[in-house]
């Protein structure tokens, strides 16, 4: 049957302009076309153009797209409709406002009809370039290889496999490296050698068993202990009152044939049993819900020999599926107290230093729900320097057989944490269980009188976004004691000047003139000199408030004596994540964690729903005490005029001894870079490169050493996916 469309044949390496062929198909409103540029609006999340006469001959093509929009990032896509098939093939292409984006298209059969979706959200756009270039197979193979190599990904030899991997790099979550490959190729290179040390460390493994533990899981855990490379250990089995008779009989047989294994029940007094425990013995909690890696004790031995001051040690873990295969790894951060208050990310398998917890305390707790969380907080009361004495081992030492994370565990954790906070003098702190996300929300108290907060908003013209920013603050913020300082950086638009003049009528709004070339750091430092409040809020003029209690949430954390900078959860206009904390070392500089995840996703290890500590947060919305701001010297005007000033500032605050914090409970839109534009000129790019080099030189960001991010996660993307040895240095402790 003859096609109703003409077959388009594009000569190799010839540019073919697709813009004249675009026809609105769905959710598109065209305003006008000037010099070939299509100016329009996307009115739905499924907007798309058809490309008339769009049947292309078989082969490889490179598409080049340049779109200007009121959104910083667009999730564009090309839709290939194959003849005789109901399903369409979506080829995604993330597009940044004002920058050319490219990707390969493969017309496998020829005759496919092509459609183009400029955005998956409502927005205005101008299509300045939409070009198709026919390329050779050799060019296509090399292009795919280069893209995969840059992302530290394997390059399949077979063409169809290489194409599938290449296409996956354009998806929001990127390419997920196989955990099986990581286990087989990467993990073995990071295991320490076995030690032959005369200075033996004694390990006492404590295995609490109750009626819910199956015989299979108990045997599996005990077998993994018997298989340890390091043999200086004893296993004490703690039996609950309701233990099953069959389980008791099996354990009796195991204990009778191995003198390293003993058990404890109520027939033996606690004092009598405590006398069997040496004063220099390390206690490792080991419930029968996981198998130990064969080198688990060897790793712990290495750490203890290098870190004798360690009081508490925890490690990474993964999950064993029904087939016994390892999957779903939890690559944990170093000690992150605010994350631990949100959820027990540390888990059940913890090593305690001698004397840190008493055996009687362990025995008293182990039959209760969330006993591990309770025991950890009990130990935390006794640790004087947590950042130094709590050690994380970034190695998978435990392979979990079943999950312990359930609703009853969460509810019990809520009461345990509340009791702990009361005991340490934080009686006014509220703890709420967020059941649908399985996290705890900790609300820290404000002072009796709300402290004055000074919100600094630099701006230059761009009246629409400035008005949106200020009105969203004024109309949606329930915190009342704040002032707004609009820092006018040479606005010239008469409408903007009129609006700024009208703002002066409001008692809590001031407009200050900053008559100098744009320098974000200098403008904010200037503003801080004029604030009246003890709390400073750095706010971009393209911020739009969503949650009414955002300022209450951020200020309550900023008032905590050990907290420095506080950041918020920011979204692009289409609801995807723009900022959820900053990780040092991503892209050899710094990047936003979970970027492009959707608003209601929980993220890696539920971290998108947890208040937690990060090395840095963005100054698009940042709250900090004025005293801290002045102590570290504010933003660096000389080395960071525009980019990375917030990262540098946060790292200075962290270096001064404060913990920076990100909260998911302060939400707002960030219409990024609308006001100042993008770095698309030689001058701007030279400035960006200069500031990037300053960040690398000052903070060694290219080493990728962020304590709140695992060295085994990717450093080339911002999605918490697994990295295949992108960093050769993975310390055994941190």
């Amino acid at each position: 049957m003859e096609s109703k469309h003409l077959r388009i044949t594009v000569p190799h390496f010839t540019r073919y302009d697709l813009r004249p062929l675009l026809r609105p198909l769905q959710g598109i409103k065209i305003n006008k076309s000037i010099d070939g540029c299509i100016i329009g609006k996307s009115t739905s999340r499924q907007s798309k153009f058809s490309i008339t006469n769009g049947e292309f001959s078989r082969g490889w093509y490179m598409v080049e797209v340049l779109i200007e929009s009121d959104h910083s990032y667009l999730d564009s896509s090309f839709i290939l409709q194959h003849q005789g098939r109901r399903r369409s093939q979506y080829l995604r292409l993330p597009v940044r406002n004002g920058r050319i984006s490219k990707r390969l298209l493969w017309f496998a059969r020829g005759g496919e009809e092509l459609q183009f979706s400029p955005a998956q959200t409502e927005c205005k756009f101008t299509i300045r370039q939409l070009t198709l270039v026919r390329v050779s197979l050799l060019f296509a193979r090399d292009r795919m290889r280069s893209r995969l190599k840059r992302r530290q990904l394997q390059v399949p030899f077979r063409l169809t496999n290489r194409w599938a991997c290449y296409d996956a790099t354009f998806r929001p979550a990127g390419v997920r490296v196989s955990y099986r490959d990581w286990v087989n190729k990467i993990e073995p290179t990071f295991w320490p050698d076995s030690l032959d040390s005369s200075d033996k460390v004694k390990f006492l493994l404590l295995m609490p068993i109750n009626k819910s533990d199956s015989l299979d899981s108990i045997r599996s855990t005990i077998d993994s202990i018997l298989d340890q490379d390091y043999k200086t250990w004893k296993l004490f089995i703690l039996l609950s009152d309701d233990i099953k008779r069959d389980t008791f009989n099996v354990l009796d047989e195991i204990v009778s044939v191995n003198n390293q294994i003993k058990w404890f029940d109520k027939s033996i007094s606690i004092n009598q049993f405590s006398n069997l425990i040496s004063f220099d013995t390390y206690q490792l909690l080991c419930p029968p819900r996981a198998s130990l890696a064969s080198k688990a004790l060897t790793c712990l031995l290495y750490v203890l020999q290098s870190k004798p001051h360690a009081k508490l040690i925890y490690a990474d873990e993964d999950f064993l599926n029904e087939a016994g295969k390892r999957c779903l790894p939890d690559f944990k951060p170093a000690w992150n107290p605010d994350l631990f208050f949100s959820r027990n990310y540390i888990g059940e398998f913890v090593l305690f230093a001698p004397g840190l917890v008493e055996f009687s305390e362990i025995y008293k707790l182990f039959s209760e729900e969330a006993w591990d969380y309770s025991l950890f907080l009990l130990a935390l009361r006794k640790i004087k320097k947590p950042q130094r004495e709590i050690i994380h081992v970034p190695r998978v030492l435990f392979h979990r057989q079943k999950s312990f994370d359930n609703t009853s565990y969460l509810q019990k954790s809520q009461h345990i944490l509340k009791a702990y906070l009361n005991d340490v003098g934080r009686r006014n702190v509220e703890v709420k269980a967020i059941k649908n996300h399985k996290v705890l929300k900790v609300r820290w108290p404000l002072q009796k009188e709300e402290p004055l907060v000074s919100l600094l908003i630099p701006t230059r013209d761009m009246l629409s976004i400035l008005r949106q920013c200020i009105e969203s603050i004024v109309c949606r913020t329930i915190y009342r004691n704040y002032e707004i300082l609009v820092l006018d950086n040479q606005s010239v638009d008469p409408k903007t000047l009129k609006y700024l003049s009208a703002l002066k009528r409001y008692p809590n709004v001031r407009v200050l003139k900053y008559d100098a070339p744009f320098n974000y750091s200098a403008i904010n430092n200037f503003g801080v000199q004029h604030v009246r409040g003890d709390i400073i809020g750095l706010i971009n003029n393209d911020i739009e408030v969503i949650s009414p209690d955002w300022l209450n949430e951020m200020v309550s954390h900023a008032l905590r004596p050990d907290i420095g900078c506080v950041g918020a959860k920011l979204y692009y206009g289409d609801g995807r994540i723009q900022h959820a904390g900053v990780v040092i070392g991503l892209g050899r500089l710094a990047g936003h964690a979970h970027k492009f995840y959707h608003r209601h996703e929980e993220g890696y290890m539920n971290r998108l729903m947890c208040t937690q500590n990060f090395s840095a947060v963005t100054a698009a919305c940042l709250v900090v005490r004025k005293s801290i701001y002045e102590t570290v010297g504010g933003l660096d005007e000389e080395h960071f005029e525009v980019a990375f000033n917030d990262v540098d500032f946060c790292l200075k605050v962290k270096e001064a001894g404060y913990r920076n914090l990100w909260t998911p409970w302060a939400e707002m839109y960030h219409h990024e870079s609308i006001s100042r534009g993008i770095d698309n000129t030689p001058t701007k790019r030279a400035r960006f490169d200069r500031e990037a080099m300053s960040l690398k030189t000052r903070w060694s960001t290219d080493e990728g050493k962020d304590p709140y991010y695992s060295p085994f996660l990717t450093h080339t993307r911002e999605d918490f996916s697994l990295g295949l040895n992108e960093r050769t240095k993975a310390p055994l402790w941190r």
Side-chain angles (χ1 to χ4, degrees):
M1 183 176 177
E2 197 172 308
S3 173
K4 63 181 179 179
H5 295 309
L6 297 175
R7 184 67 57 86
I8 298 176
T9 302
V10 181
H12 279 70
F13 301 106
T14 300
R15 297 180 181 277
Y16 192 87
D17 191 353
L18 295 178
R19 290 176 300 173
L21 305 181
L22 294 179
R23 299 292 182 270
L25 183 63
Q26 177 178 309
I28 295 287
K29 181 180 179 181
I30 298 299
N31 296 331
K32 53 187 173 180
S33 178
I34 302 176
D35 297 330
C37 298
I38 298 174
I39 302 172
K41 182 178 181 180
S42 169
T43 59
S44 75
R45 292 181 177 272
Q46 320 231 316
S47 61
K48 55 187 175 182
F49 289 96
S50 65
I51 297 179
T52 58
N53 299 325
E55 290 186 3
F56 291 85
S57 56
R58 185 175 186 272
W60 293 94
Y61 296 82
M62 176 68 73
V63 67
E64 301 174 351
V65 180
L66 174 58
I67 300 178
E68 293 179 357
S69 173
D70 55 354
H71 281 47
S72 301
Y73 287 90
L74 299 176
D75 191 12
S76 301
S77 63
F78 290 86
I79 303 102
L80 269 65
Q81 183 67 49
H82 299 272
Q83 288 186 3
R85 294 188 182 183
R86 294 182 179 180
R87 296 183 62 182
S88 300
Q89 183 179 0
Y90 283 79
L91 303 175
R92 308 181 80 112
L93 178 60
V95 174
R96 185 164 187 179
N97 177 24
R99 290 188 180 177
I100 292 181
S101 299
K102 301 180 182 181
R103 68 154 295 158
L104 289 170
L105 302 180
W106 183 21
F107 296 90
R109 293 176 174 79
E112 292 91 342
E113 296 181 12
L114 186 62
Q115 299 171 353
F116 174 58
S117 174
Q120 304 298 311
T121 185
E122 297 180 10
C123 65
K124 298 177 181 178
F125 61 80
T126 300
I127 302 177
R128 295 203 172 275
Q129 182 176 339
L130 184 60
T131 306
L132 203 62
V133 182
R134 179 81 178 272
V135 297
S136 65
L137 172 60
L138 183 63
F139 178 94
R141 290 186 67 96
D142 184 67
R143 183 79 178 194
M144 289 185 280
R145 181 193 62 80
S146 298
R147 184 173 177 87
L148 294 171
K149 281 287 188 182
R150 284 198 305 272
R151 285 157 177 76
Q152 306 292 332
L153 298 170
Q154 289 183 315
V155 183
F157 177 79
R158 188 177 177 184
L159 181 62
T160 53
N161 293 343
R162 185 179 299 192
W163 164 248
C165 291
Y166 169 87
D167 180 52
T169 63
F170 292 95
R171 298 172 191 165
V175 171
R176 298 286 177 172
V177 170
S178 165
Y179 185 51
R180 182 182 299 179
D181 285 346
W182 186 90
V183 168
N184 293 333
K185 299 176 182 178
I186 303 304
E187 185 180 50
T189 66
F190 285 100
W191 286 123
D193 296 329
S194 298
L195 285 177
D196 183 18
S197 173
S198 58
D199 182 21
K200 295 287 187 181
V201 173
K202 300 175 184 177
F203 290 108
L204 174 63
L205 284 70
L206 300 174
M207 181 185 291
I209 296 177
N210 56 46
K211 66 177 182 180
S212 65
D213 296 316
S214 68
L215 278 173
D216 288 342
S217 62
I218 293 172
R219 284 196 183 99
S220 177
T221 304
I222 292 177
D223 288 345
S224 71
I225 295 171
L226 294 172
D227 289 341
Q228 288 299 298
D229 290 353
Y230 186 72
K231 301 300 183 182
T232 307
W233 56 264
K234 288 186 178 180
L235 171 62
F236 283 3
I237 298 173
L238 313 180
L239 300 179
S240 64
D241 295 337
D242 55 0
I243 195 73
K244 296 177 181 178
R245 189 66 191 176
D246 290 346
T247 303
F248 183 90
N249 292 335
V250 170
L251 290 174
D252 188 36
E253 293 179 11
I254 293 173
V255 171
S256 64
V257 298
N258 194 314
N259 59 8
Q260 284 184 286
I261 304 176
K262 300 182 182 300
W263 65 14
F264 175 83
D265 59 21
K266 286 194 173 180
S267 65
I268 307 173
S269 70
I270 291 178
N271 290 335
Q272 181 183 357
F273 195 80
S274 297
N275 292 333
L276 300 174
I277 303 175
S278 175
F279 72 92
D280 60 349
T281 299
Y282 286 85
Q283 300 176 26
L284 176 64
L285 294 181
C286 194
R289 283 182 282 280
S291 300
L292 276 67
S294 61
K295 290 183 177 291
L297 296 185
T298 301
C299 284
L300 295 173
L301 176 63
Y302 262 93
V303 174
L304 291 172
Q305 288 185 334
S306 301
K307 296 287 183 179
H309 60 269
K311 298 293 185 183
L312 190 150
I313 301 176
Y314 66 98
D316 297 338
E317 60 187 74
D318 59 14
F319 193 80
L320 294 175
N321 62 20
E322 294 181 357
K325 301 295 185 181
R326 293 170 55 185
C327 60
L328 303 176
D330 279 354
F331 289 112
K332 305 171 185 177
W335 172 233
N336 192 324
D338 286 283
L339 178 59
F340 184 71
F341 291 158
S342 295
R343 65 181 294 264
N344 180 12
Y345 77 92
I346 286 176
E348 297 177 290
F349 302 89
V350 181
L351 182 74
F352 295 109
L356 185 62
V357 293
E358 299 294 333
F359 175 76
S360 58
E361 296 170 328
I362 298 174
Y363 185 74
K364 179 182 177 181
L365 292 172
F366 87 87
S367 59
E368 299 178 3
E369 188 76 56
W371 65 275
D372 52 326
Y373 196 54
S374 184
L375 189 62
F376 193 106
L377 290 171
L378 182 66
L380 192 58
R381 292 173 173 89
K382 305 176 184 179
I383 296 176
K384 296 180 179 179
K385 298 178 180 179
Q387 293 295 140
R388 180 174 182 266
E389 296 174 341
I390 298 178
I391 303 296
H392 169 233
V393 178
R395 300 292 187 276
V396 180
L397 301 190
F398 308 100
H399 312 304
R400 182 172 291 282
Q401 298 161 2
K402 65 177 181 178
S403 174
F404 69 100
D405 194 8
N406 52 48
T407 302
S408 59
Y409 184 97
L410 182 68
Q411 291 174 331
K412 184 63 176 178
S413 297
Q414 175 187 2
H415 299 301
I416 291 171
L417 181 57
K418 178 60 179 175
Y420 165 80
L421 293 171
N422 287 341
D423 288 348
V424 297
R426 301 289 185 181
R427 296 184 178 275
N428 295 326
V429 179
E430 298 178 9
V431 182
K432 181 180 179 181
I434 310 299
K435 296 179 182 179
N436 56 326
H437 297 304
K438 298 180 182 179
V439 300
L440 299 176
K441 180 180 180 181
V442 182
R443 173 60 64 89
W444 297 82
L446 291 167
Q447 298 171 355
K448 290 184 179 180
E449 294 185 5
E450 292 180 345
L452 178 63
V453 181
S454 299
L455 304 177
L456 306 179
I457 306 177
T459 192
R460 179 174 182 175
D461 292 322
M462 303 300 293
L463 174 58
S464 60
I465 64 167
L466 175 63
R467 180 190 284 120
Q468 176 179 260
C469 175
I470 293 178
E471 288 183 358
S472 72
I473 293 174
V474 172
C475 298
R476 299 174 190 164
T477 303
I478 60 176
Y479 191 99
R480 303 319 309 167
N481 194 20
Y482 67 87
E483 64 170 353
I484 296 176
L485 279 70
V486 180
L487 309 177
D488 178 21
N489 183 210
Q490 300 178 330
S491 293
V492 294
D493 181 18
K495 293 182 180 179
T496 302
L497 296 176
K498 182 179 179 181
Y499 178 73
L500 294 176
S501 179
L503 286 175
K504 297 176 183 178
R505 299 198 304 267
Y506 297 97
N508 65 335
V509 179
R510 287 185 282 155
V511 178
L512 303 178
K513 295 286 186 180
Y514 183 80
D515 191 14
F518 179 78
N519 181 319
Y520 181 84
S521 299
I523 295 172
N524 281 289
N525 289 342
F526 164 78
V528 170
Q529 297 173 15
H530 295 83
V531 301
R532 296 168 183 159
D534 294 329
I535 307 289
I536 295 169
L538 305 183
I539 308 293
N540 279 15
N541 65 349
D542 49 7
I543 286 291
E544 180 184 355
V545 170
I546 299 174
S547 51
D549 62 344
W550 71 278
L551 198 51
N552 300 63
E553 171 71 11
M554 298 183 75
V555 172
S556 68
H557 288 294
L559 290 173
R560 296 165 59 189
D562 50 347
I563 297 299
C565 302
V566 180
K569 190 175 188 179
L570 307 181
Y571 307 110
Y572 291 109
D574 60 2
R576 291 180 296 163
I577 299 291
Q578 190 270 337
H579 170 262
V582 173
V583 175
I584 305 303
L586 296 189
R588 303 176 69 85
L589 292 166
H592 289 188
H594 289 112
K595 194 171 186 178
F596 297 129
Y597 273 63
H598 289 284
R599 180 173 180 175
H600 299 295
E601 289 187 85
E602 295 180 339
Y604 187 72
M605 292 176 59
N606 275 40
R607 289 183 66 169
L608 271 176
M609 300 299 169
C610 295
T611 302
Q612 62 198 280
N613 304 115
F614 273 101
S615 292
V617 293
T618 181
C621 181
L622 182 153
V623 171
V624 67
R625 298 198 298 276
K626 181 183 177 183
S627 58
I628 297 177
Y629 191 97
E630 294 176 334
T631 296
V632 302
L635 301 180
D636 189 330
E637 305 177 13
E638 180 180 356
H639 298 97
F640 302 101
E641 298 177 23
V642 179
F644 304 116
N645 39 55
D646 46 4
V647 177
D648 175 72
F649 175 71
C650 287
L651 292 176
K652 290 191 295 184
V653 170
K654 180 173 178 285
E655 191 176 55
Y658 300 96
R659 297 198 315 272
N660 297 318
L661 179 143
W662 173 81
T663 172
W665 310 113
E667 299 176 279
M668 51 200 69
Y669 291 114
H670 181 201
H671 307 288
E672 185 187 36
S673 300
I674 292 177
S675 56
R676 72 172 183 85
I678 59 174
D679 301 328
N680 57 357
T681 66
T683 301
K684 288 182 177 181
R685 296 205 175 192
R687 187 263 310 148
F688 177 88
D689 293 341
R690 188 168 59 250
E691 292 171 345
M693 183 56 66
S694 295
L695 190 72
K696 285 183 184 178
T697 303
R698 180 175 294 180
W699 298 108
S700 301
T701 59
D702 54 340
E703 295 181 5
K705 295 180 180 179
D706 191 320
Y708 302 119
Y709 189 76
S710 172
F712 294 123
L713 295 175
T714 181
H715 285 79
T716 62
R717 298 179 297 282
E718 297 168 303
D719 57 7
F720 275 83
S721 59
L722 186 62
L724 269 182
N725 201 18
E726 294 166 359
R727 297 292 173 205
T728 57
K729 296 179 181 179
L732 190 55
W733 62 82
R734 53 182 186 160

